[in-house]
């Protein structure tokens, strides 16, 4: 019964995040300093609950297969760590010139690519699943090492950013759960075998989604007053997110069309447009990372990213696979209405 509830939680994550965000903002208006301190103390344990199950589902040994998928993995690294940061910098200067907190949230989204949904959407859209799995592992490892260098260059002067502090946080909220998740994965595979292990994956994803729900609630409750001090600007942060995701999907599709086969191109689109929001959220919410308001853009990104994956999947099915044009689809739907 608990497993079924966790799977439902994962399947309805968009609504769960919205509910947690609103509940946190509401509770944050009425709680006192003692409650905020208790919520702050719960952040690290909740972050572990969020990241550890996710790491069990990721096979980091896929990094060793990178040589067999040089073209799609190399293209994903180019887009994720070359083009995506440039897009994020431009949008941050355009929309967040006076608010470094929201800019940091956007940078975290841009600099931590690929999630478990990369593989799921790639499979649903008929892409190269093996290339997607390798890209997930390689990009995650690269992001852990490159993130502090990028952030120190982008935001150091604005918020007193300390790269050493971020490395410590990465060790706590990413490296330790990564090691624990890898060891747990090996233990479960050895004891139950690959087929039985696959049946556990949805439950692990559900536990991670439960952690997302809690951390969004806690982060919003702690920072409710500052976020609601300018509600219009806070809500407007979703605009650059939509622009970022639209541009990064277009770039991924364009690079894939130029350099890769069709199935590899699908893998590239999802390896670049699906960002690892759980890890971005964990870093933004971890104690000591300035400023905690950077959680808000990441929470709102949960509203943008899944529909984006669904739209591209439907495009592949209804247009590409059916060998039809977009104008044909629009004409058909207009005739129905």
């Amino acid at each position: 019964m608990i497993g079924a509830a966790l799977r439902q939680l994962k399947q309805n994550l968009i609504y769960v995040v919205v509910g947690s965000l609103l509940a946190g903002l509401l509770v944050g208006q009425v709680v006192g300093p003692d409650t905020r301190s208790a919520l702050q103390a719960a952040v690290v344990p909740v972050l572990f609950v969020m990241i550890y199950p996710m790491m069990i589902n990721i096979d980091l040994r896929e990094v060793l297969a990178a040589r067999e998928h040089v073209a799609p993995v190399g293209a994903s690294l180019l887009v994720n760590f070359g083009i995506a940061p440039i897009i994020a910098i431009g949008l941050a200067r355009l929309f967040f010139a006076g608010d470094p907190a929201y800019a940091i949230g956007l940078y975290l989204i841009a600099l931590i690519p690929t999630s478990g949904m990369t593989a799921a959407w790639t499979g649903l859209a008929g892409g190269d699943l093996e290339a997607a799995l390798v890209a997930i592992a390689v990009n995650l490892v690269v992001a852990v090492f490159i993130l502090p260098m990028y952030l120190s260059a982008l935001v150091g002067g604005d918020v007193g950013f300390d790269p050493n502090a971020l490395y410590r946080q990465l060790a706590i909220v990413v490296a330790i759960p990564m090691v624990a998740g890898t060891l747990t994965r090996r233990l479960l595979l050895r004891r139950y075998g690959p087929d039985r292990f696959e049946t556990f994956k949805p439950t692990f994803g559900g536990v991670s989604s439960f952690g997302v729900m809690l951390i969004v609630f806690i982060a919003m409750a702690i920072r409710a007053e500052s976020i609601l001090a300018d509600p219009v600007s806070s809500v407007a942060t979703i605009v650059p997110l939509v622009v970022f995701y639209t541009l990064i999907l277009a770039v991924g599709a364009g690079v894939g069309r130029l350099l890769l086969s069709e199935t590899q191109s699908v893998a590239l689109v999802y390896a670049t447009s699906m960002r690892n929001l759980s890890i971005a959220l964990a870093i933004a919410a971890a104690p000591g990372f300035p400023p905690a308001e950077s959680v808000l853009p990441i929470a709102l990104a949960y509203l943008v990213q899944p529909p984006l994956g669904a739209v591209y999947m439907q495009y592949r099915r209804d247009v590409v696979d059916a060998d039809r044009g977009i104008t044909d689809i629009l004409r058909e739907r207009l005739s129905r209405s």
Side-chain angles (χ1 to χ4, degrees):
M1 183 174 180
I2 295 177
L6 290 173
R7 288 191 289 272
Q8 284 294 318
L9 191 68
K10 181 183 178 181
Q11 293 171 3
N12 296 281
L13 188 57
I14 295 178
Y15 308 107
V16 170
V17 168
V18 172
S20 300
L21 190 153
L22 295 176
L25 292 175
L26 179 63
V27 171
Q29 298 300 302
V30 297
V31 298
D34 292 340
T35 302
R36 287 196 180 91
S37 297
L39 289 173
Q40 186 70 55
V43 167
V44 172
V46 171
L47 289 177
F48 189 84
V49 169
M50 181 174 69
I51 299 298
Y52 168 60
M54 183 186 74
M55 292 300 182
I56 298 175
N57 281 344
I58 296 176
D59 188 359
L60 293 178
R61 291 176 300 178
E62 296 286 355
V63 172
L64 301 177
R67 290 177 298 178
E68 301 172 13
H69 303 277
V70 172
V73 172
S76 71
L77 293 173
L78 170 65
V79 175
N80 285 329
F81 300 108
I83 299 175
I86 294 174
I87 295 174
I89 291 169
L91 291 174
R93 291 181 177 177
L94 181 62
F95 289 94
F96 302 139
D99 200 331
Y102 292 159
I104 291 172
L106 180 58
Y107 294 150
L108 288 171
I109 293 169
L111 292 170
I112 309 178
T114 70
S115 66
M117 290 309 298
T118 297
W121 285 119
T122 298
L124 290 171
D128 187 335
L129 183 57
E130 186 175 345
L133 291 170
V134 176
I136 291 172
V138 172
N139 278 269
L140 179 58
V141 172
V142 171
V144 169
F145 289 99
I146 206 170
L147 181 63
M149 292 184 288
Y150 265 106
L151 288 183
S152 61
L154 293 174
V155 302
D158 293 330
V159 295
F161 175 76
D162 181 3
N164 293 325
L166 180 55
Y167 275 119
R168 288 194 295 271
Q169 288 188 356
L170 285 171
I172 295 172
V173 304
V174 179
I176 293 175
M178 184 185 293
V179 172
T182 299
L183 293 175
T184 303
R185 180 187 181 90
R186 291 182 180 181
L187 178 64
L188 292 174
L189 283 169
R190 187 180 301 124
R191 181 168 182 177
Y192 296 104
D195 293 339
R196 182 73 184 282
F197 176 77
E198 289 296 320
T199 65
F200 299 149
K201 280 188 171 183
T203 300
F204 294 142
V207 174
S208 183
S209 299
F210 180 69
V212 169
M213 178 188 73
L214 292 179
I215 205 63
V216 169
F217 171 80
I218 292 172
M220 292 299 104
I222 292 174
R223 295 293 175 174
E225 292 182 358
S226 59
I227 290 172
L228 294 179
D230 189 357
V232 175
S233 297
S234 298
V235 173
T237 58
I238 200 168
V239 175
L241 294 177
V242 173
V243 176
F244 171 80
Y245 275 103
T246 302
L247 290 176
I248 205 67
L249 186 146
V251 169
V255 171
R257 182 174 298 178
L258 288 173
L259 302 178
L260 305 174
S261 68
E262 187 172 340
T263 56
Q264 289 176 335
S265 179
V266 174
L268 176 65
V269 167
Y270 284 116
T272 52
S273 61
M274 297 293 105
R275 321 308 289 179
N276 201 316
L277 300 179
S278 295
I279 292 181
L281 189 63
I283 294 171
F289 187 86
E293 287 83 357
S294 58
V295 166
L296 180 62
I298 302 170
L300 292 176
Y302 279 99
L303 310 183
V304 180
Q305 184 164 289
L308 181 82
V311 166
Y312 184 73
M313 183 193 69
Q314 288 301 130
Y315 164 76
R316 293 288 311 176
R317 289 181 173 181
D318 295 343
V319 178
V320 177
D321 294 345
D323 195 22
R324 303 166 69 189
I326 295 179
T327 54
D328 296 332
I329 302 295
L330 293 175
R331 192 180 299 114
E332 179 182 309
R333 294 189 176 180
L334 287 173
S335 64
R336 289 178 181 175
S337 60

